[in-house]
Amino acid sequence: MSETKHIVLTSHPPQGAARPPKINWGAASAAERGPVIGSLNNPHQRNVIGVHSGAYGLYRALAIAAGKLDPIHKPDLTNTSPTVQIGPFDQWADPAKIVSLDPYGHIVADAFKKELKDDFDIRPTIAVTRARISLPEMREALAAGRIKPDGDILLETGEANVTKAAIEPVWYLPGIAARLGVKEGDLRRALFEYTGAMFPELVTRSDLKVFLPPIGGITLYIFGNVPTLWDGSGEVACRVHDECNGSDVFGSDICTCRPYLTHGIEECIKTAQRGGAGLIVYNRKEGRALGEVTKFLVYNARKRNPDGDTAAAYFEKTECVAGVQDMRFQDMMPDVFHWLGITKIDRWFSMSDMKYDAMTAQGIRIVTQVPIPDDLIPPDARVEMDAKKAAGYFTDDTVSRPDDLDKPQGRGLDQY
């Protein structure tokens, strides 16, 4: 292992001539904006708070402590460039449009060639690749005749070809504060105090405006021709899905998460086959960002309720355990759509008023909102559905599986 370089404390601004590259968030080009540098290899280069890799940063520290990883290793970015060109779009140059990710995070190898040649340790925060996905529900849909293989988007095996992107969070703190309607100083202090003083720079380094939070990121799955998302050449279908490990992976029937996810995938495939594009946005926000421990505690509280598991107690029990019903902050969710240059979603597979309101507040037009078809709701998830309807989630009892696009589907929002 190479000798570990000396790491200096960063709770105060650097002294002397050594200054990191400045980040001008919302600048018109990558060169003007400047690179995001969260590496620890050279502390004089660092211009952000926190480290790369989001929630996985601690595993890197463990690997170094265990002698498995050279602490000064720098990634070789040869042949890692995106498999499809995304951007730049006008939204990238608007500091109010994108506040929770780095729009240049997937093209650092090209956008910052000079800096990389000058030995700046700049690392991608977004990766774009191509892959195939395989779900039993797609094979079932094939057998039922709801979808048909075309040899391109959907194969006879039920596998689907996708373009997918992984996105690590990059928070521009003034923009986050403005989006949430709070003072930047109050945001910094809360992030410092209520993480056990994990990041002292949040309150001592007002010169550092960008934070790499240790949280989960986003994965995108794009079906069909990717430029269709932004060029207006076809219909765009989308499902924004917040992680539910118990249902998405293990098939728990207490909620509608996996059925809604797979329904969204099926509709995205059909949209792509008609010449449009389908988009699944998968956010790592388990249990409404409350976490699985809290989620399972709430399950117990609901099921042991003397009156039974009722819709009335659905959100109440969550608030009793967690102190709040939801911490997903959908206000930041539209950022990924701005990164993709999307201005309109033709078919939006969601019942959430919070997601819809967040999108429209950011100027993204939703033409038709489609709730989950009744026949996909597991019996044990009826309590969840009743609670969400009572809470103001969108629903339309006349909607069934929208196989026939000539029939009215969901809520046509153009009329409002």
Side-chain angles (χ1 to χ4, degrees):
M1 180 186 290
S2 302
E3 182 180 351
T4 303
K5 288 187 177 181
H6 178 61
I7 303 299
V8 298
L9 294 175
T10 59
S11 58
H12 298 285
Q15 304 296 319
R19 298 282 175 174
K22 187 176 180 180
I23 297 175
N24 300 296
W25 199 268
S29 68
E32 295 172 271
R33 205 292 303 275
V36 170
I37 305 177
S39 168
L40 294 169
N41 288 347
N42 185 340
H44 297 295
Q45 294 180 358
R46 284 172 53 78
N47 58 7
V48 302
I49 302 164
V51 296
H52 287 302
S53 301
Y56 296 98
L58 286 175
Y59 283 104
R60 184 177 187 275
L62 285 178
I64 292 170
K68 303 292 186 182
L69 175 64
D70 184 342
I72 61 172
H73 169 77
K74 287 198 294 186
D76 179 355
L77 299 179
T78 304
N79 293 328
T80 63
S81 59
T83 55
V84 62
Q85 182 176 339
I86 296 174
F89 300 107
D90 291 343
Q91 294 95 319
W92 296 13
D94 185 340
K97 291 290 186 184
I98 298 179
V99 300
S100 62
L101 59 88
D102 176 7
Y104 300 100
H106 59 309
I107 53 174
V108 298
D110 292 322
F112 302 110
K113 282 183 179 178
K114 181 182 182 300
E115 290 85 349
L116 287 166
K117 187 176 180 180
D118 291 341
D119 204 34
F120 281 85
D121 190 3
I122 308 167
R123 307 193 178 194
T125 56
I126 301 176
V128 184
T129 190
R130 286 194 173 96
R132 287 182 182 174
I133 63 171
S134 178
L135 288 85
E137 287 87 350
M138 296 309 104
R139 294 192 289 274
E140 292 169 4
L142 271 173
R146 295 198 306 270
I147 53 176
K148 301 182 185 300
D150 59 274
D152 179 19
I153 295 161
L154 184 67
L155 307 182
E156 291 185 1
T157 59
E159 294 174 297
N161 287 316
V162 297
T163 297
K164 63 181 183 179
I167 302 174
E168 292 176 3
V170 179
W171 287 3
Y172 175 58
L173 293 172
I176 295 282
R179 187 78 62 84
L180 299 180
V182 300
K183 294 180 180 178
E184 182 186 342
D186 293 340
L187 172 66
R188 285 175 174 264
R189 181 157 293 280
L191 290 172
F192 165 68
E193 290 183 351
Y194 297 102
T195 57
M198 189 183 297
F199 298 99
E201 297 94 337
L202 284 165
V203 291
T204 61
R205 294 291 303 273
S206 59
D207 59 314
L208 296 181
K209 299 294 186 182
V210 175
F211 176 40
L212 305 180
I215 61 174
I218 304 168
T219 308
L220 308 180
Y221 294 87
I222 304 169
F223 302 80
N225 186 36
V226 177
T228 303
L229 292 174
W230 59 78
D231 67 13
S233 63
E235 180 186 19
V236 175
C238 179
R239 164 70 182 164
V240 172
H241 192 88
D242 295 324
E243 181 180 30
C244 177
N245 185 61
S247 180
D248 297 343
V249 179
F250 294 101
S252 169
D253 63 354
I254 199 172
C255 68
T256 59
C257 289
R258 183 178 175 99
Y260 219 156
L261 174 62
T262 58
H263 174 62
I265 291 172
E266 183 177 329
E267 294 302 319
C268 282
I269 289 172
K270 291 195 286 189
T271 301
Q273 288 176 327
R274 293 194 299 271
L279 172 65
I280 299 293
V281 180
Y282 195 89
N283 296 301
R284 292 321 190 285
K285 295 179 180 178
E286 178 68 55
R288 302 195 199 99
L290 302 172
E292 266 195 322
V293 170
T294 295
K295 184 177 182 178
F296 291 2
L297 293 174
V298 172
Y299 283 169
N300 286 346
R302 283 171 50 194
K303 292 175 181 177
R304 292 169 179 166
N305 184 16
D307 297 325
D309 188 11
T310 65
Y314 181 82
F315 288 111
E316 177 193 349
K317 295 302 180 184
T318 301
E319 195 161 355
C320 287
V321 175
V324 65
Q325 292 182 6
D326 196 312
M327 292 198 305
R328 285 175 290 183
F329 289 98
Q330 302 293 3
D331 313 72
M332 295 182 283
M333 178 267 294
D335 285 18
V336 72
F337 293 88
H338 292 316
W339 176 64
L340 289 168
I342 294 173
T343 58
K344 183 183 75 167
I345 301 293
D346 295 278
R347 302 182 72 225
W348 174 252
F349 298 95
S350 172
M351 294 174 65
S352 171
D353 52 337
M354 291 180 289
K355 290 177 182 177
Y356 170 75
D357 291 345
M359 292 285 282
T360 56
Q362 282 293 304
I364 300 170
R365 180 173 162 235
I366 294 175
V367 178
T368 301
Q369 185 173 4
V370 183
I372 186 171
D374 285 343
D375 62 308
L376 294 185
I377 301 174
D380 285 351
R382 289 288 170 182
V383 169
E384 177 196 50
M385 282 295 101
D386 291 343
K388 288 182 175 180
K389 291 176 184 179
Y393 277 49
F394 167 70
T395 185
D396 181 347
D397 292 335
T398 67
V399 173
S400 58
R401 184 181 298 279
D403 288 319
D404 185 353
L405 291 179
D406 292 329
K407 297 177 182 177
Q409 308 298 338
R411 174 168 62 177
L413 297 171
D414 279 349
Q415 61 186 305
Y416 294 174

